[in-house]
Amino acid sequence: MKRSLLRIVGRTTFAAAVLGLVVFWGASQVMAGDRPVVEECMRCHDVKSYEYEISHSSHAKDKDGKAITCDQCHDPHFNPVTSYYARDEYFDKKIFQPEDFDRMSMQKNVQKSVPAKKCQVCHVDLSKDVKGKKISEIGQLCHDAFEGKNGSTRKNCAGCHGNIAHLPDFDRDLTKNAVFVKKLGDNPMVKEQKGGS
Amino acid sequence: MKLSRREILKAAAASSAMMAIGGPFGVIKDAAAANEPDEWVKSVCRFCGTGCGVMVGIKDGKCVTVKGDPNNHNAGFLCLKGALMPPIVYSKDRVTRPYIRQKGKLVPASWDEAMSLVEKKFKEAVAEGGPSAIGYYGSGQALTEETYLASKIFKAGLGSNNVEGNPRLCMASAVGGYVTTFGKDEPCGSYSDIDAATCMMIIGSNMSECHPVLFKRVAARKQADPNVKIIVIDPRKTNTARIADEHVSFKPGTDLAILNSMAWVIINEEFDNQRFHSKYVTFMTNEKEKVDFDAYMKFLEDYTPEKVETMSGVPAAQIKTIAKMFAEASATTSFWCMGLNQRIRGVWANNLVSNLHLLTGHIGKTGATPFSLTGQPNACGGVRDTGGLCHLLPAGRLIKKEAHRNAVEKQWGIPLGTINPKPGLHTIALWNAFSEAKVKAMFVLCTNPAHSLPNVNIYTEGMKRTDNFMVLSEPFMDAETVKYCDVLLPSAFWCEKRGTYGCSERRYSLLKKSTEPLGECKSDFEILMDFAKRMGVDPKVVPYKDVDDVWDEWRQVSAATPYNFSGITRERMEKESGILWPCPTEDHPGTKIRYVRGEDPNIPDDYPKKYHFYGKPDGRAVIWFRPYKGAAEEPNEEYPIVLTTGRVIDHWHTGTMTMKVPELRRSFPVAYVEVNIEDAKAKGIQNGDDVLLETKRDKMVLKARVSDVCRPGLVFVPWYDANLMINKLTLNAIDKGSKQPEFKICAVKISKV
Amino acid sequence: MNRTNLKISKGKLVGFALFSVLLMSVVSLSQAKGIKHLKATDSAADCYECHKYVTPRVAQNWLESKHGVQLMKCFVCHGQPDGKGSIPFSVKPDPVAVCAKCHDPAMQRMKEKFGTEKGCYECHPFHQNSLHHDAYKKSASKKE
């Protein structure tokens, strides 16, 4: 008698949880629908300095001049794969105070959580840039490795092309970021950041 | 079954331990153990004029590895070229037997066949045109004993003063500069000055790529004391400029004006050392008229910072800053190299640097010296000091002076009047004469003129002629000059022969033989002795059974001169790792500072003055009034950009050695043209694009490397690529004094292909 | 309340342990297999040009270190990853075969002082001894 009750309770809870997740996910999709994406994300994630960074990056706008939004790279909410990589931040509840993030320790996981197929929406042909210009010989070798044609890599796009949208202060000394650093300038919003130095 | 926590933990530990055994990043010990040498033999690096000591690791009679000599000046350090030398020795491109050219192709021959032909051709040339119809073109990479021997054979044995070498292309202006300023060649300081300098000026030198281990010492000095100031004066923002406090970029050729301007600032800010220059300096105009300090100040009025800013593009404020830095420091050392030497005003440029040191008194003190960097490992010891040039005799003596000729003839035990009183043809004149078959037979040793001569098309055309004859001693089959030689002799290479190298700081070090020559290779000493014998040179002129005999004679010949290194015996060279001359006795430690009483053994202890520039009759050094004069071929409307050439760290000169090392070859497999970002934008050139370069002489397509290294209006092409020889485009105009060509500046136009 | 004992059979436990070892080996081996360095062409074999994007922190550390300033390039110590070099490839070069070419005097001194054959890396952060303008600090291995 006890055992069957336990089973019913367990199974009901499970079903309720699944239903709740589905409803929540659906609701978040619907509710986000009629507001600008970035503004919507920023209702919970206070990412003003991150927004400043991307607006000065090479990924501020796409090739047609349209602003690139958070969801074009980041997979918001409940994608099990990307959620797995963001699990530490879920548990610490820091996702609502991103300015407190230890960006250095997070960086690898965040890069893993940006799926390659999102980049490939614009970057279809890896032998050219979005404007159709052929990439360098070195770039071609790297992409051959990414596609497994010449050696192989463990990284996704963001793993090698980090710092194309956001630039934490500890990466500002890298030579590959010199142009981006110049564009960021001396704005107090990005001058001093908490967490990982 | 009941399991305790302990047992679970144990199981977990065991399984993770098993996992830890694997992993891809294990340290490779096997390869190292397999190549552990049986012995280490002392030698010197085959590459640049830094002259790092090297220990050659020998296993089973083969060179398997190298490491730095801990007892030489480099304290065990090497650069990437030195560290990777071993594969070059056993390259499949080694010439291992003699060849004779028959019907356009090189055909294998025996030593006797090859040398008989050489003898025949040289004797024919002498019969037809006298001793001036033959010539020798040697190298700053040949051993001292080899160059001394060759010079003696030709000058004393065959009556020909047509003895030249590639140092004419690299150091002649430095020689001219030192001789006109101090009366004697070679630097007066040493590498130790780096460790004490509080300001270092690097001009016309990409030290980090061309003298890496010395640059390391400079950088280490700055790291040890961040107050040390580094000034880098170069129209390219090279890796050397990374450690600079001031990088001065200027319009190519205007460095003479900048140096004069620095002197103006030094005097006008009262930074000059009146006490020093009034006591030890003579002021002389460009017309060799002796004047006074007031005349010098008047001369410099044309070189105020504001005037020089207009002509050079360097802000007046920066000229003032660097002049103050130079003068105010407690000990300033200057370094320079091809940027100043390979110019038609090379001698003047050299003078102007020394001027600053004489004006401020930054000379003859530890940490303060004007130090000319020598490009090749043995241009100093081998060619300059032994007199292996058309106008020189051993130890700085001149062919044109009868007293000098007679002194040398006496030392050599040959009749007075043996040496031809007329100096021979300098390099460009010699190759011009060969190209016209006026010089009919040339002996080329350890150098690659078909790649390294400026405006090289003229000379390769000349080499193609059938009415002149060239014998080439060369270790590598793929050297460009091999395509044109009539006889090719297999030369023993580096660790396969014994001899001396004398590097930039007047240090003579011994290269011990550590492996047997490959195939039928012979040392150049053996080749030259055979040549002398066949040419009928009096055996009394060449009484040597091995290189040590040659060294012993040269050592004793030097005793009568300020070079006096009779204390550098072979025994000492075996025990020690190089000694700086002058070194008059066997217990003398060598000389770090010249021209200073108490440091220089040529100056008696009771000499009344502290400084004695004994190269000059009155004991005073000279501040020369050298005006600014532009390059031989300034950019114009048709050719608006300056083309300059140079090296990269990975390759040595014509690449015949470094291209044998896969790591170095793949680092820079082909030549390229370095274009400034703005110039590239204006021409629509992007990184990797094909760019056509055209000078009045020739044109070439090279891939572009767009960067901010070159200043706008300047392009740079490295000269290591035999398939893209930039010397086809360069100019063979020469410095009137030193006869050194202006490789560094010519006018070019560029366009996207 | 009673403490519950784990009711697992010995067999199941051993099975589980073996399975996890197998799983972890497969994962690590496959990871090892996944690191297959691309074959560079002869005209694009400069390690730094790729690695400033692929491993930017290591590349930057090298660039700013003594080795970087003095142009002691990657291949001098590491060789060539496609095996076409004159020295064997290694991610962690053997001190005796490689470091000793330049640092033998220091290695001898260390051996005399501490009588140890420790690898250089245990103390020296070889990519991180910075010479970068205002960072003229001694490396962590050098104590005042």
Side-chain angles (χ1 to χ4, degrees):
Chain A
M1 187 54 198
K2 247 190 181 175
R3 213 186 271 171
S4 57
L5 188 63
L6 214 67
R7 269 197 198 143
I8 292 166
V9 169
R11 283 170 188 172
T12 316
T13 318
F14 179 70
V18 170
L19 192 67
L21 284 170
V22 170
V23 167
F24 187 94
W25 172 82
S28 64
Q29 296 299 306
V30 167
M31 285 170 71
D34 51 351
R35 257 193 271 252
V37 175
V38 175
E39 200 190 302
E40 186 57 34
C41 300
M42 284 175 68
R43 269 155 56 90
C44 297
H45 302 285
D46 186 12
V47 287
K48 286 216 166 54
S49 66
Y50 294 36
E51 192 198 4
Y52 179 85
E53 285 167 11
I54 191 176
S55 64
H56 289 75
S57 75
S58 60
H59 280 65
K61 297 199 172 89
D62 66 19
K63 70 176 189 310
D64 302 318
K66 249 182 87 197
I68 295 179
T69 55
C70 317
D71 64 331
Q72 284 179 267
C73 300
H74 296 284
D75 232 333
H77 304 154
F78 308 115
N79 175 315
V81 177
T82 58
S83 297
Y84 168 75
Y85 288 117
R87 65 195 183 285
D88 292 332
E89 286 65 48
Y90 280 153
F91 290 137
D92 291 341
K93 291 197 180 68
K94 284 222 189 113
I95 49 170
F96 301 122
Q97 292 115 46
E99 302 294 349
D100 285 344
F101 278 157
D102 181 353
R103 291 176 87 178
M104 200 187 273
S105 64
M106 267 175 65
Q107 191 176 50
K108 231 180 170 170
N109 279 339
V110 171
Q111 287 173 347
K112 282 187 193 163
S113 76
V114 175
K117 65 170 163 54
K118 278 190 173 271
C119 310
Q120 283 163 335
V121 169
C122 293
H123 297 279
V124 181
D125 182 357
L126 288 189
S127 69
K128 304 196 177 93
D129 68 10
V130 272
K131 293 186 185 148
K133 201 186 87 175
K134 266 196 102 182
I135 61 175
S136 68
E137 186 177 5
I138 283 189
Q140 193 55 59
L141 282 171
C142 292
H143 285 172
D144 287 347
F146 173 71
E147 291 175 322
K149 294 181 195 161
N150 178 357
S152 55
T153 80
R154 284 181 296 188
K155 298 195 181 201
N156 60 355
C157 308
C160 285
H161 296 281
N163 304 139
I164 45 144
H166 300 292
L167 189 57
D169 60 348
F170 52 84
D171 279 346
R172 290 184 198 154
D173 64 328
L174 298 175
T175 48
K176 64 168 185 160
N177 293 331
V179 173
F180 194 174
V181 170
K182 234 184 169 170
K183 284 196 197 155
L184 280 182
D186 259 344
N187 192 303
M189 214 186 305
V190 293
K191 243 197 143 169
E192 267 172 49
Q193 292 182 317
K194 292 177 232 175
S197 56
Chain B
M1 186 202 88
K2 284 179 193 174
L3 251 187
S4 72
R5 255 183 217 154
R6 188 188 260 189
E7 280 165 330
I8 292 179
L9 283 171
K10 261 192 193 168
S15 50
S16 52
M18 283 182 68
M19 229 183 72
I21 290 172
F25 299 122
V27 171
I28 297 178
K29 278 210 151 66
D30 300 337
N35 264 346
E36 193 76 42
D38 302 324
E39 59 164 339
W40 293 100
V41 181
K42 189 157 56 183
S43 184
V44 177
C45 182
R46 183 57 181 76
F47 299 121
C48 80
T50 305
C52 295
V54 157
M55 303 300 288
V56 182
I58 301 294
K59 189 180 173 75
D60 301 328
K62 284 189 109 181
C63 163
V64 294
T65 188
V66 292
K67 67 178 175 187
D69 182 347
N71 299 315
N72 209 321
H73 65 79
N74 53 309
F77 291 102
L78 297 175
C79 81
L80 53 76
K81 293 187 301 299
L84 296 173
M85 278 191 288
I88 304 173
V89 183
Y90 302 105
S91 155
K92 55 172 174 53
D93 290 324
R94 283 287 304 273
V95 180
T96 51
R97 61 171 316 160
Y99 289 85
I100 293 177
R101 192 172 297 277
Q102 284 169 6
K103 296 197 186 110
K105 284 193 107 115
L106 283 177
V107 171
S110 70
W111 269 105
D112 191 46
E113 285 168 345
M115 290 307 286
S116 298
L117 180 59
V118 172
E119 177 190 343
K120 176 163 169 272
K121 288 293 185 178
F122 270 77
K123 281 183 172 161
E124 274 172 14
V126 173
E128 209 182 308
S132 58
I134 60 173
Y136 170 85
Y137 186 67
S139 172
Q141 294 167 61
L143 298 166
T144 298
E145 294 85 347
E146 291 162 354
T147 305
Y148 179 89
L149 177 61
S151 188
K152 196 179 184 194
I153 289 172
F154 276 78
K155 290 173 184 167
L158 301 173
S160 173
N161 290 333
N162 288 342
V163 171
E164 273 287 302
N166 56 23
R168 179 70 71 178
L169 304 177
C170 87
M171 297 311 294
S173 294
V175 176
Y178 276 145
V179 168
T180 46
T181 297
F182 299 105
K184 290 276 168 221
D185 186 18
E186 302 290 1
C188 46
S190 73
Y191 295 158
S192 315
D193 290 309
I194 298 174
D195 308 327
T198 52
C199 174
M200 284 184 268
M201 180 173 85
I202 303 170
I203 175 169
S205 158
N206 184 3
M207 213 175 174
S208 71
E209 297 204 58
C210 301
H211 294 87
V213 172
L214 277 183
F215 174 76
K216 174 208 168 304
R217 207 162 164 174
V218 170
R221 174 77 185 117
K222 184 154 175 81
Q223 186 182 31
D225 180 0
N227 291 318
V228 168
K229 298 284 181 242
I230 312 282
I231 304 166
V232 172
I233 306 180
D234 194 323
R236 294 174 67 220
K237 199 169 100 184
T238 59
N239 187 66
T240 305
R242 278 182 72 187
I243 65 166
D245 292 280
E246 289 288 331
H247 171 238
V248 181
S249 173
F250 61 95
K251 182 166 159 275
T254 59
D255 38 10
L256 287 101
I258 295 166
L259 290 166
N260 270 332
S261 193
M262 284 175 73
W264 185 94
V265 174
I266 287 171
I267 292 174
N268 278 273
E269 297 291 323
E270 309 292 343
F271 285 133
D272 60 308
N273 187 331
Q274 280 271 356
R275 194 190 153 98
F276 183 85
H277 62 71
S278 57
K279 204 168 172 182
Y280 295 112
V281 171
T282 307
F283 293 91
M284 291 190 78
T285 67
N286 208 23
E287 291 73 37
K288 300 200 183 142
E289 200 194 319
K290 210 166 171 180
V291 288
D292 60 8
F293 180 65
D294 289 333
Y296 187 46
M297 287 204 287
K298 204 150 162 263
F299 165 77
L300 289 175
E301 283 304 322
D302 282 336
Y303 299 99
T304 63
E306 290 69 28
K307 288 189 185 141
V308 172
E309 173 171 354
T310 316
M311 68 170 91
S312 70
V314 179
Q318 192 177 34
I319 297 177
K320 289 179 186 156
T321 303
I322 62 172
K324 279 194 199 159
M325 246 182 214
F326 185 104
E328 281 191 299
S330 55
T332 300
T333 292
S334 297
F335 293 105
W336 68 94
C337 202
M338 297 306 146
L340 295 193
N341 294 347
Q342 288 176 335
R343 306 269 299 285
I344 58 162
R345 304 289 166 212
V347 174
W348 293 5
N350 273 260
N351 291 142
L352 291 175
V353 178
S354 291
N355 281 4
L356 296 178
H357 286 268
L358 292 170
L359 196 58
T360 53
H362 279 311
I363 187 166
K365 298 185 291 208
T366 306
T369 193
F371 198 103
S372 155
L373 293 167
T374 299
Q376 296 186 85
N378 202 22
C380 290
V383 177
R384 285 154 79 175
D385 300 349
T386 66
L389 291 175
C390 67
H391 66 295
L392 290 179
L393 290 168
R397 288 169 288 191
L398 300 171
I399 284 180
K400 69 180 183 195
K401 291 200 169 154
E402 190 179 0
H404 290 184
R405 288 197 308 275
N406 289 343
V408 174
E409 282 156 350
K410 277 209 198 89
Q411 288 186 302
W412 281 349
I414 55 179
L416 297 180
T418 311
I419 299 173
N420 187 332
K422 194 165 162 235
L425 296 170
H426 60 80
T427 293
I428 295 295
L430 185 59
W431 284 105
N432 284 342
F434 186 75
S435 301
E436 294 162 26
K438 293 201 182 122
V439 164
K440 299 209 175 293
M442 279 278 258
F443 203 118
V444 179
L445 193 137
C446 194
T447 180
N448 198 2
H451 189 146
S452 58
L453 287 170
N455 195 356
V456 75
N457 287 332
I458 311 176
Y459 304 109
T460 47
E461 283 308 305
M463 290 175 190
K464 286 180 191 163
R465 289 175 77 129
T466 49
D467 54 352
N468 57 21
F469 175 84
M470 178 166 67
V471 51
L472 174 67
S473 167
E474 167 65 49
F476 300 98
M477 209 64 188
D478 58 328
E480 192 68 14
T481 313
V482 169
K483 292 186 182 154
Y484 306 98
C485 68
D486 298 294
V487 170
L488 176 62
L489 301 175
S491 171
F493 176 70
W494 181 51
C495 55
E496 297 170 350
K497 51 184 184 171
R498 175 182 172 88
T500 308
Y501 267 359
C503 72
S504 302
E505 68 160 351
R506 291 175 285 107
R507 179 186 290 261
Y508 287 166
S509 302
L510 178 65
L511 287 80
K512 285 172 139 175
K513 177 176 168 182
S514 50
T515 63
E516 287 307 312
L518 293 187
E520 296 180 54
C521 291
K522 289 194 180 159
S523 72
D524 287 310
F525 167 78
E526 291 171 276
I527 295 173
L528 289 165
M529 286 298 287
D530 186 16
F531 175 73
K533 195 156 146 230
R534 288 168 181 270
M535 291 298 290
V537 169
D538 186 350
K540 281 205 244 72
V541 171
V542 287
Y544 318 116
K545 55 178 190 327
D546 57 33
V547 286
D548 290 355
D549 286 347
V550 181
W551 178 258
D552 224 44
E553 178 186 302
W554 169 213
R555 179 176 71 83
Q556 287 167 58
V557 163
S558 78
T561 72
Y563 285 70
N564 189 359
F565 59 92
S566 48
I568 305 182
T569 59
R570 222 35 154 199
E571 292 73 40
R572 278 188 78 183
M573 293 173 89
E574 297 253 359
K575 266 206 311 261
E576 299 172 50
S577 289
I579 302 159
L580 280 72
W581 62 266
C583 181
T585 56
E586 287 189 46
D587 56 1
H588 193 274
T591 303
K592 289 205 174 129
I593 300 177
R594 292 165 81 197
Y595 310 131
V596 171
R597 181 189 67 210
E599 297 278 348
D600 188 332
N602 289 308
I603 303 175
D605 286 333
D606 58 357
Y607 188 75
K609 291 189 189 166
K610 171 98 183 193
Y611 289 79
H612 183 33
F613 297 103
Y614 44 78
K616 294 286 184 182
D618 58 0
R620 288 168 166 247
V622 178
I623 283 186
W624 288 95
F625 297 12
R626 300 302 194 195
Y628 162 68
K629 285 245 172 89
E633 193 180 75
E634 291 275 347
N636 55 27
E637 240 193 87
E638 202 193 342
Y639 301 100
I641 298 196
V642 171
L643 166 66
T644 194
T645 63
R647 284 186 45 225
V648 295
I649 189 175
D650 314 65
H651 283 303
W652 173 257
H653 284 202
T654 62
T656 54
M657 294 184 277
T658 50
M659 286 286 186
K660 307 294 183 289
V661 181
E663 287 86 349
L664 298 173
R665 186 187 71 246
R666 300 173 84 198
S667 190
F668 283 99
V670 295
Y672 55 89
V673 57
E674 195 177 72
V675 186
N676 175 276
I677 294 177
E678 289 164 33
D679 288 343
K681 219 193 240 167
K683 301 263 176 191
I685 295 170
Q686 292 184 321
N687 210 28
D689 284 350
D690 283 333
V691 176
L692 174 67
L693 271 74
E694 273 185 83
T695 65
K696 275 200 190 133
R697 294 158 287 284
D698 203 347
K699 54 180 182 230
M700 188 174 282
V701 174
L702 293 153
K703 288 230 185 292
R705 280 197 191 201
V706 177
S707 70
D708 63 348
V709 175
C710 280
R711 59 182 277 123
L714 174 69
V715 295
F716 167 87
V717 177
W719 66 288
Y720 54 74
D721 193 341
N723 298 314
L724 290 165
M725 293 197 300
I726 195 62
N727 273 329
K728 291 182 177 177
L729 278 70
T730 56
L731 178 64
N732 56 335
I734 55 174
D735 179 310
K736 284 204 206 100
S738 66
K739 321 292 187 217
Q740 179 164 359
E742 187 159 68
F743 286 96
K744 285 300 177 189
I745 303 178
C746 70
V748 71
K749 61 177 170 185
I750 67 174
S751 55
K752 184 169 145 89
V753 166
Chain C
M1 197 159 150
N2 283 338
R3 249 177 73 201
T4 320
N5 284 332
L6 283 163
K7 287 198 173 84
I8 309 167
S9 75
K10 218 187 215 172
K12 273 193 190 158
L13 194 67
V14 169
F16 176 72
L18 280 172
F19 174 74
S20 34
V21 169
L22 185 70
L23 183 70
M24 286 187 266
S25 324
V26 166
V27 167
S28 67
L29 271 172
S30 69
Q31 290 208 319
K33 266 205 187 129
I35 311 166
K36 192 165 169 279
H37 198 284
L38 58 80
K39 275 192 171 55
T41 59
D42 262 8
S43 54
D46 183 2
C47 319
Y48 179 73
E49 288 304 310
C50 285
H51 277 272
K52 69 180 180 199
Y53 300 107
V54 174
T55 55
R57 183 47 56 192
V58 170
Q60 190 70 22
N61 284 344
W62 169 81
L63 185 71
E64 295 182 7
S65 71
K66 280 180 171 176
H67 284 168
V69 172
Q70 294 156 28
L71 299 175
M72 204 28 102
K73 296 188 179 179
C74 320
F75 53 71
V76 185
C77 305
H78 296 287
Q80 304 262 271
D82 57 9
K84 290 189 195 166
S86 64
I87 62 173
F89 172 66
S90 58
V91 175
K92 232 177 166 184
D94 174 37
V96 171
V98 174
C99 310
K101 282 187 186 177
C102 296
H103 297 284
D104 195 43
M107 288 165 74
Q108 296 296 330
R109 283 197 296 273
M110 288 297 284
K111 220 165 142 191
E112 282 164 26
K113 251 184 156 172
F114 305 106
T116 179
E117 291 269 4
K118 256 187 176 175
C120 311
Y121 322 107
E122 298 199 37
C123 299
H124 289 277
F126 45 89
H127 279 163
Q128 286 150 12
N129 190 347
S130 180
L131 268 183
H132 192 234
H133 52 89
D134 58 354
Y136 285 128
K137 296 186 201 99
K138 291 194 173 172
S139 71
S141 64
K142 292 183 181 141
K143 305 237 168 359
E144 288 291 340

